Amino acid sequence: MDRTNEPPRLPGGSFAAWSRDRLAAACRGAECGDVWELEPGVYVAAAAGPCEAVLHRAQDFPKPPSPLFPPLKRAAGAPAPQERAHARAARMHGLRPQAVAARIGEIAPGTARCADQWPTGRDVEVLPLVRSALAETGVRYLFTEDAPALLPFAQRLFTAREVLVRPSRWVWPRWVPTPARRFRTRQQVAFTDALRAVVRRRRSSGRLGDDVLGQMLRPSSRYGTLPEEAVLDTLPGITVATFETPSRAAGWILLHLARYPRAADRVAAEAALLPEDPAATTGAHLDSLQYTQALIREVLRLHPPSWLLTRRAPRRTRLGGYTIDAGSTVLVCPYTAHRDAREHPEPDRFRPERWLDGSGSPAKPGVFLAFGTGPHGCEGAALAMAMLTLLTAQIARRYRLSEPPGPEPGYRVTTFEGLTTEGLRLRAVAGDPRS
């Protein structure tokens, strides 16, 4: 690389410093420039323009294969690229906004049950509670009547993922069968075997279903029938994703309901207009929760669960006026892009109204990368927003939330695989039900 045309280097920047406090290092780096260098061959896109450029230029900055749920080794080999493309297209058909809107009545009951079952009058650890509810809701959206049989396997798959991404003193090559990787493989095999039985039963009966799995089982005019292994290999990741990232987001959202009671009151006022029977909730009801959705977007702007995305540069290219050599890693940081005053005035202030225009309709004040963007944007963004909106509305409708007393936060922010309120505890008081 021409060393005179490289991004500014973070003073004292190194992986050691990065590992000590990744979030603080990212914020310090953003002060260096829109694109900055962590160490040779590792660059960070910190502002909106470079972040969006990297995510949209998938040929220049492809997404590396996820190591979390790689295809299982089989005699027939992994699905071909064309089969994976067919699988993704079929999944997207069932996850597109119109499909989600048509099934709001199936999503709403799970979020209402979470609110109904929330223990009151005592401090409760939030993330396990909402994760269980969102897992049930997300897995049911994917597999409808087969969800109860598959849910235990999906939850163990999530546990395997958490064990796998836990920080370690050692970074092992991917081919080393560490205990965490063996555990992941066992859970992936168990989930796949349970799903295989469902796929074969549906195909043999001819009742493919109208859920996401049913969309994948239907023959395509372009691709024909998707092979069984392509269906099985591409579903573990999206199954866990339907509740893993939304659960992290829900922690931040509920924390803000506790800290901003006036905002919570506005959410509750909207939620009071929802049907008493959650199954009667429609896409029109969801659309009416304008302030609730604005609050969620504002929380996700300030605390995007997927706050750091990794891309590779397979060939020499340019970014933000700088040359990026082949083989470099580019880290995309929505966290700092969302806090850019050029995009969002008073960027550190919690202000849901920025997402609404004067009449209360949705507005787009600046960049929003909580679900990514471009060819590899989050497949389940519409489903995640629907689940989070309904969960937030139902909880605000029933309770007032508060943090435990004391000068220190009752949670720890973790950043390794996502921005998470680990250990967050809140108290719900149902003395003033807002309905």
Side-chain angles (χ1 to χ4, degrees), residues 233-258:
D233 275 345
T234 57
L235 278 172
I238 192 67
T239 299
V240 172
T242 59
F243 60 91
E244 181 261 335
T245 301
S247 297
R248 292 203 305 266
W252 290 107
I253 293 165
L254 298 180
L255 176 62
H256 280 70
L257 289 185

Side-chain angles (χ1 to χ4, degrees), residues 184-198:
R184 181 272 314 278
T185 300
R186 289 197 300 272
Q187 300 311 317
Q188 191 174 347
V189 168
F191 175 83
T192 299
D193 288 346
L195 182 58
R196 188 191 309 277
V198 171

Side-chain angles (χ1 to χ4, degrees), residues 92-321:
M92 288 301 296
H93 189 75
L95 292 166
R96 70 194 194 282
Q98 303 96 309
V100 173
R103 297 180 61 189
I104 292 300
E106 300 173 44
I107 298 169
T111 60
R113 278 194 299 275
C114 179
D116 289 338
Q117 296 168 3
W118 192 297
T120 58
R122 59 186 176 89
D123 297 337
V124 175
E125 189 170 355
V126 169
L127 294 187
L129 186 66
V130 298
R131 185 182 300 123
S132 176
L134 293 177
E136 179 183 344
T137 304
V139 174
R140 183 171 292 278
Y141 186 87
L142 297 177
F143 306 114
T144 55
E145 71 271 11
D146 293 305
L150 293 171
L151 181 59
F153 296 98
Q155 290 172 325
R156 289 195 286 271
L157 204 58
F158 167 80
T159 300
R161 179 200 181 281
E162 293 298 284
V163 171
L164 192 66
V165 302
R166 193 172 295 158
S168 170
R169 291 180 59 192
W170 310 103
V171 179
W172 297 99
R174 291 185 181 179
W175 54 266
V176 175
T178 64
R181 290 170 183 167
R182 292 199 301 270
F183 178 64
R184 181 272 314 278
T185 300
R186 289 197 300 272
Q187 300 311 317
Q188 191 174 347
V189 168
F191 175 83
T192 299
D193 288 346
L195 182 58
R196 188 191 309 277
V198 171
V199 168
R200 291 181 176 178
R201 175 176 51 76
R202 289 194 186 191
R203 279 182 163 166
S204 64
S205 68
R207 295 192 298 273
L208 302 181
D210 295 323
D211 50 19
V212 175
L213 177 59
Q215 297 292 341
M216 299 182 72
L217 297 181
R218 281 186 170 75
S220 161
S221 58
R222 180 177 179 184
Y223 297 105
T225 299
L226 191 63
E228 181 179 278
E229 300 306 328
V231 175
L232 300 175
D233 275 345
T234 57
L235 278 172
I238 192 67
T239 299
V240 172
T242 59
F243 60 91
E244 181 261 335
T245 301
S247 297
R248 292 203 305 266
W252 290 107
I253 293 165
L254 298 180
L255 176 62
H256 280 70
L257 289 185
R259 289 184 172 178
Y260 297 90
R262 289 186 180 178
D265 285 341
R266 288 191 63 175
V267 173
E270 285 189 338
L273 302 179
L274 292 174
E276 286 299 320
D277 178 6
T281 309
T282 66
H285 293 116
L286 184 70
D287 290 342
S288 72
L289 301 174
Q290 296 288 352
Y291 184 82
T292 306
Q293 294 187 49
L295 180 142
I296 291 169
R297 290 176 72 86
E298 181 69 347
V299 173
L300 297 184
R301 181 187 70 81
L302 289 168
H303 306 285
S306 299
W307 74 281
L308 197 67
L309 309 171
T310 303
R311 297 294 187 265
R312 303 277 190 248
R315 55 183 173 271
R316 199 179 218 210
T317 188
R318 292 182 65 80
L319 178 65

Side-chain angles (χ1 to χ4, degrees), residues 10 14-30 36 38 44 165 167 305-310 331-333 335-336 413-419:
L10 175 65
S14 66
F15 270 121
W18 176 261
S19 299
R20 283 194 297 272
D21 192 338
R22 291 160 24 115
L23 205 58
C27 293
R28 286 195 298 115
W36 56 276
L38 175 60
V44 180
V165 302
S306 299
W307 74 281
L308 197 67
L309 309 171
T310 303
L331 303 176
V332 176
C333 190
Y335 184 90
T336 54
V413 177
T414 59
T415 62
F416 190 73
E417 272 296 309
L419 208 58

